[in-house]
Amino acid sequence: MANVVVVGAQWGDEGKGKIVDWLSERADVIARFQGGHNAGHTLVIDGKVYKLSLLPSGIVRPGKLSVIGNGVVLDPWHLVEEIAKLRADGVDISPESLMIAENAVLILPLHGELDRARESQNSVAKIGTTGRGIGPAYEDKVGRRAIRVADLADEATLALRVDRLMVHHDALRRGLGIEPVDREALLAQLREIAPQVLPYAKPVWKVMNEMRKAGKRILFEGAQGALLDIDFGTYPYVTSSNVIAGQAATGTGIGPGAIGFVLGIVKAYTTRVGEGPFPAELQDADGERLGERGREFGTVTGRKRRCGWFDAVLVRQTCATSGVSGIALTKLDVLDGFETLKICVGYELDGERLDHLPIAADQQARCTPIFEELEGWSESTAGARSWADLPGAAVKYVRRIEELIQCPVALLSTSPERDDTILVTDPFED
Ligand code: IMP
């Protein structure tokens, strides 16, 4: 029996929600290991829609342990708000069902302010972030001046931490023309929120290891996508955390041996939100059509997503950096009705053919995609539940993707409905 890590294998928004929910129903523990409330997961359970951005997907299912690992950056005010919303929807949340790592870093109001100030200041520095303070919070973590969950328990430590943080932030804020941090107001806010967060604070690493020894099934729920990874993504147009599967171990305090099956979620075409390179992007009627048919608007910010053809080069790369065992291919039905489809199979740079995206920004900008054309299909694939339900051209498209990315399809999702899935390999049983 394997523990399963789910990672987005593109730029996020691959349709992780449905797959994660299907897996979390069969898991005992569901753990987030990176990111924060920049994620947006929509779950539909018995016709009821739940929108989550910080809490693990298992939270809506009774009897599961949901874990927010140390790799996550946690906005305590957002946490309390998300818990309250779910409780209003009848979801039972208690320290028995939710556990937060004591060593997780807090996102403070000053982080959001800094994030938004940088994004609005000048277009040269713009990343197109979600404006939630994710980047600035991770900067403070690495800069060894962050406030962590455990610090909330002791007033004296908290005051010291705030002072240390202010030295850095006040200097930054002066440069950006923002008022200095109001020390007393921040301390008062933290004192007020502390008792609402602390009951969930635990040594997550310890509990995770106990769960593992007891043979519990653990689902590691990734957010964003591997092309937004701080090391392997399209830097600097990335998020500020490691998104790839290895982070599941580091971000919860369990050894890498605990990871069994790595499921990469892959959309049948490509989208990205925010700035940055996107070699297979379409700025024509086909791109518009993908966006409309795929309802490609951000769940967190409502921004229109950029759309393009499937880029096999990038997905082959992310399958390698995350050690993907099998992919879940989603939203194939969005491609229904296209006469021909294209897949990016390589890049051309200065007359040479490349089989990967180079790291250097100037080279990335000069890369032109090499497309392979495939026959489309006019029939609907929506709701297909077996290979036999799919038109021959759709099967060929999927098989070609498997070949190009050098990774098999474990699951094919053909609509947001849970049962509209073709299961090839069960990640927990593999
Ligand atoms: P940040 O994570 O808010 O710092 O944003 C950095 C980049 O990651 C931006 O391009 C965002 O649009 C992107 N991003 C962050 N979270 C998500 C997500 O959940 N889905 C897709 N893109 C995301």
Side-chain angles (χ1 to χ4, degrees):
M1 187 184 66
N3 292 320
V4 177
V5 183
V6 170
V7 288
Q10 290 153 314
W11 276 292
D13 311 310
E14 297 92 353
K16 288 188 279 297
K18 165 180 154 176
I19 315 280
V20 163
D21 174 50
W22 175 74
L23 289 168
S24 67
E25 190 183 16
R26 297 151 66 243
D28 303 301
V29 181
I30 299 94
R32 284 271 317 255
F33 54 88
Q34 48 72 229
H37 64 312
N38 48 348
H41 290 172
T42 307
L43 305 178
V44 186
I45 297 171
D46 299 330
K48 222 169 168 175
V49 179
Y50 300 93
K51 287 198 185 291
L52 306 174
S53 57
L54 175 61
L55 291 166
S57 296
I59 200 80
V60 297
R61 298 195 170 275
K64 312 283 176 191
L65 175 63
S66 289
V67 172
I68 295 182
N70 54 281
V72 171
V73 279
L74 180 113
D75 179 327
W77 297 276
H78 178 89
L79 171 82
V80 166
E81 200 183 301
E82 201 169 308
I83 290 177
K85 265 196 203 138
L86 286 172
R87 282 200 178 128
D89 276 340
V91 178
D92 186 27
I93 300 174
S94 71
E96 274 67 55
S97 61
L98 175 66
M99 186 167 79
I100 299 173
E102 296 165 319
N103 50 345
V105 159
L106 297 184
I107 301 183
L108 306 174
L110 55 86
H111 292 126
E113 283 161 25
L114 183 57
D115 194 355
R116 292 187 292 275
R118 283 173 177 163
E119 286 292 297
S120 61
Q121 276 278 317
N122 66 63
S123 57
V124 180
K126 198 172 159 74
I127 301 287
T129 71
T130 58
R132 303 252 159 137
I134 305 291
Y138 277 118
E139 286 168 34
D140 283 343
K141 172 178 180 169
V142 181
R144 294 162 291 192
R145 56 179 171 263
I147 299 179
R148 308 201 295 181
V149 171
D151 300 330
L152 291 172
D154 180 60
E155 289 230 2
T157 309
L158 200 56
L160 282 173
R161 293 274 189 269
V162 167
D163 288 339
R164 195 182 166 98
L165 192 66
M166 278 177 58
V167 174
H168 179 78
H169 277 271
D170 278 345
L172 273 179
R173 289 163 78 93
R174 255 195 311 279
L176 289 163
I178 315 173
E179 298 272 290
V181 176
D182 183 337
R183 180 181 190 272
E184 294 316 310
L186 177 58
L187 276 170
Q189 280 178 300
L190 288 167
R191 266 187 232 113
E192 192 196 341
I193 203 75
Q196 298 182 69
V197 177
L198 286 170
Y200 303 103
K202 304 267 164 60
V204 156
W205 64 270
K206 194 165 180 285
V207 183
M208 289 292 284
N209 278 278
E210 282 160 9
M211 291 287 169
R212 182 186 175 196
K213 279 195 194 126
K216 301 287 182 198
R217 282 181 167 189
I218 305 172
L219 174 66
F220 297 92
E221 178 182 359
Q224 291 86 47
L227 295 170
L228 291 168
D229 182 90
I230 186 78
D231 285 299
F232 294 104
T234 43
Y235 192 88
Y237 301 100
V238 292
T239 193
S240 296
S241 63
N242 279 117
V243 170
I244 57 173
Q247 175 64 16
T250 320
T252 57
I254 204 166
I259 299 173
F261 196 97
V262 179
L263 184 68
I265 316 291
V266 176
K267 189 148 59 179
Y269 51 100
T270 315
T271 61
R272 102 168 275 179
V273 208
E275 316 296 312
F278 182 171
E281 184 169 13
L282 286 165
Q283 272 154 342
D284 59 7
D286 284 341
E288 284 293 316
R289 179 167 166 180
L290 287 173
E292 274 162 34
R293 286 186 56 94
R295 294 178 299 282
E296 297 295 352
F297 292 92
T299 24
V300 173
T301 59
R303 288 178 291 176
K304 197 171 169 182
R305 297 179 187 140
R306 299 155 64 192
C307 297
W309 295 120
F310 186 80
D311 191 330
V313 182
L314 290 180
V315 176
R316 186 167 60 233
Q317 231 164 279
T318 56
C319 282
T321 53
S322 271
V324 170
S325 326
I327 64 161
L329 191 67
T330 65
K331 296 183 104 168
L332 184 68
D333 57 300
V334 173
L335 301 180
D336 294 353
F338 276 94
E339 213 161 282
T340 50
L341 298 166
K342 287 183 185 169
I343 296 181
C344 175
V345 294
Y347 304 121
E348 198 185 305
L349 177 68
D350 304 334
E352 268 187 53
R353 189 184 169 120
L354 297 184
D355 64 356
H356 71 282
L357 187 67
I359 286 292
D362 67 307
Q363 294 188 1
Q364 284 185 353
R366 281 184 289 119
C367 272
T368 51
I370 302 167
F371 287 112
E372 182 176 294
E373 221 167 81
L374 278 86
E375 195 189 324
W377 55 90
S378 53
E379 303 90 328
S380 166
T381 60
R385 293 182 183 187
S386 78
W387 291 102
D389 292 341
L390 294 176
V395 177
K396 267 195 194 154
Y397 183 78
V398 177
R399 294 297 181 219
R400 186 65 184 133
I401 284 180
E402 285 182 314
E403 244 169 47
L404 288 165
I405 66 170
Q406 296 162 8
C407 195
V409 167
L411 260 138
L412 188 71
S413 160
T414 56
S415 97
E417 292 301 319
R418 159 191 289 252
D419 294 335
D420 294 343
T421 304
I422 302 172
L423 181 64
V424 182
T425 308
D426 184 333
F428 273 124
E429 301 298 338
D430 193 56

